[in-house]
Amino acid sequence: MVPLAFPVKRILVILIATLALSLQGCTPENQKPLQHVHQYFESIRNNEALLTAFFSEMPKGGDLHNHFSGSVYAETYWNYLLRKNPWFDTVSLVFEYDSIKRINKKGDYKRFISLPELIRKNKLPDMKQRILQVWSVKDYVDSEIPSHKHFFDSFGKLPSGGWNETGIGLQELQNRALRENVQYLELMIKGVPSDIMPENADRYTSLLKLKEYTDTVALRPVLDSLTQAFRKKQLSKDVVNFNSILLSVHNKFVPDNNAVTIRYQTYVNRRAEPVKFFRDLLLAFESAQTSPLVGGINILSPEHGDVSMRDYKLHMYMFRYCSQLFPEVKYSMHAGELTLGLVKPEDLTFHIHDAIYIAGANRIGHGVDMAYETDALTLLQYMHDKKIAIEINLFSNEFILKVKDDKHPITLYKNGNVPIVISTDDAGILRSNLVHQYVLLAKRYPQISYADIRTFILNSIEYSFIKDQALKDALYTSVKTKLESFEEKIIKNTRLHSTKV
Ligand SMILES: [Zn+2]
């Protein structure tokens, strides 16, 4: 992990000194500016502190793969919990607000301790540390439980708040982006909530589970009928309600400003049973079609879960079907977040393939199993030709899947000229940030140059799902200008220091 509280001023002094040393006697005045930066960058490639200072200063454009609930840090959830005056189970670390629920935990109720009691016994700091360890990867010890289990279980343990808490979390992410020199966040915010179910839901369930569909032709009549059934129940009302709350929360807590722009993806949960999954997909597509703030949609939850694996192809066909109903809606898909050992080898061969060829994904999230995919080289060429970007989440892949260094397929994507963006995934649960991702990128992959990184940064705006083209163009120009200023600063500091030396 990058030391988060490193004294930045001191690092910058070291950075400038190293910069001067590295360029002494080797930088002709007429050399192109990018070459200066490139030389300096190469000279610090193996120094994590210098890289951290470099990337902290560097404008990083957008973070396009960013789960809102996993990006807010556990300390913020903790503060929210304290405001609710909870009782804590001192053994399991679950909490309750309601005394009846606590007493109903048959025999275990004696393990609960109230907040005032914790404070009186001076045990609140200890409880906080223990809770942070289960809500995030803080102090995680490898041998306790599998890292992917620890990671995914964390989400279920976080206290869930209302839209007001969402607004507070959004402010935290916007402020962090500002400090970290990130200009755009595309947040996977929530699924559109609904409890509408069609008449004869069981019949639809059995029709959808009846066989393994191999094309949309056989599936279409079932989905047509199901779409009609949901529309009869006025599914759109839930979309209108969701979009309107999102708009008012956005305008209240994180209105558009010149420093950081936020847009959203809504999503579907791949663990849901087929009828619910399809309902949520219709809701997500309609939300993205009608809200100015929802740029696209996504599909989440562990890809290796039983339902996710069983229904993978069905989900892909459902995406394809909905994309025909809502042709303007864009979507990124978590696909290939798998590795050898986590699933059977044959299950590593088709997830990215199907997300692209069947579902028609505009971007792929993770894509870690690319090396195992059937005819990977053709798939990479297709991604290049169709400009389907890959969202690379280095630290997430390292922690959850144990895939890092040359096990990671980033070089495959790079060699295939697939558009790459660098993102965080769940910076809060992973106790990470976007600077950390770039540091890992620079340290681990010497074949990726400063010019490549510059392209990745501009990609993060170009491949974003911002709908308003004027806003997107303005953001692109602004990030480009900021990059040029950053490069000039590096060069200027180098020259100043060289003269003094
Ligand atoms: Zn993700």
Side-chain angles (χ1 to χ4, degrees), residues 65 67 334 366 425:
H65 187 121
H67 299 258
H334 282 72
H366 296 288
D425 204 14

Side-chain angles (χ1 to χ4, degrees), residues 32 74 88 95 98 113 120 128 190 200 210 378 389 395 409 414-415 423 459 463 481 494:
K32 286 179 187 169
F88 294 95
F95 52 86
D98 183 328
I113 184 166
R120 196 181 62 74
K128 178 180 177 182
K190 288 174 193 285
N200 302 322
L210 198 58
T378 306
F395 185 60
K414 165 79 172 40
N415 293 349
S423 40
N459 283 347
Y463 292 91
T481 309
T494 311

